[in-house]
Amino acid sequence: MTLATEVKKLTESKPFYAVAGVGDYAVEKLRELPEQLQKLQSRRYDLAKDLPVKAREYADKAEGFARELPEKAREYADQLTLKATEVYEDFATRGRKVVSQASGTAALELEEVSEAAEPPVAEPVKKPRTPRAKA
């Protein structure tokens, strides 16, 4: 198979689009990060002041959660499976959009590069004819 065929097969697969969608989502969230950090820094004094009271509350709640853990774990596993499938589909759809937007001229360039990268086929070397000596 040629490199161009392999690239085309890869770019038409759902996992490829899912990875492209994850990458696009990660870039989107990273761009929001500085603003979120600024908000958290402005609230850190209030958060630190309430920490001892919150710690006691959470310790009391943890005991109750420990009793319910096996049943809740099964429920969460079922929900997680459904959610993971949904998120995978969303990322694949998002990736298809990103790739289709970027693929216009890039796809043509990639095809040209892949064709140029294929090794040339060597022609067999022919032995030069030597005249036979007459006896």
Side-chain angles (χ1 to χ4, degrees), residues 115-123:
E115 287 173 2
E118 290 183 22
V121 177
E123 293 186 28

Side-chain angles (χ1 to χ4, degrees), residues 84-98:
T85 302
E86 181 181 308
V87 168
Y88 178 76
E89 292 292 330
D90 290 347
F91 280 141
T93 301
R94 183 181 186 132
R96 276 192 182 89
K97 290 176 186 174
V98 169

Side-chain angles (χ1 to χ4, degrees), residues 70-83:
E71 182 182 331
K72 291 287 185 186
R74 279 190 289 279
E75 290 176 19
Y76 289 141
D78 292 341
Q79 291 174 1
L80 182 62
T81 302
L82 292 173
K83 187 64 177 175

Side-chain angles (χ1 to χ4, degrees), residues 3-5 7 109-118:
L3 181 59
T5 305
V7 169
E109 291 172 9
L110 182 59
E111 188 173 327
E112 290 171 6
V113 168
S114 68
E115 287 173 2
E118 290 183 22

Side-chain angles (χ1 to χ4, degrees), residues 25-96:
Y25 181 77
V27 168
E28 178 182 309
K29 292 303 169 186
L30 285 172
R31 287 184 178 144
E32 297 172 0
L33 193 58
E35 182 182 330
Q36 291 176 352
L37 286 174
Q38 191 73 13
K39 288 177 184 177
L40 286 174
Q41 284 179 340
S42 66
R43 292 181 43 213
R44 74 176 168 220
Y45 176 75
D46 294 334
L47 293 172
K49 183 177 67 172
D50 296 337
L51 193 57
V53 174
K54 292 283 185 188
R56 276 189 236 99
E57 289 175 10
Y58 290 138
D60 293 340
K61 288 181 181 180
E63 189 176 319
F65 288 141
R67 281 188 227 110
E68 300 171 356
L69 185 62
E71 182 182 331
K72 291 287 185 186
R74 279 190 289 279
E75 290 176 19
Y76 289 141
D78 292 341
Q79 291 174 1
L80 182 62
T81 302
L82 292 173
K83 187 64 177 175
T85 302
E86 181 181 308
V87 168
Y88 178 76
E89 292 292 330
D90 290 347
F91 280 141
T93 301
R94 183 181 186 132
R96 276 192 182 89

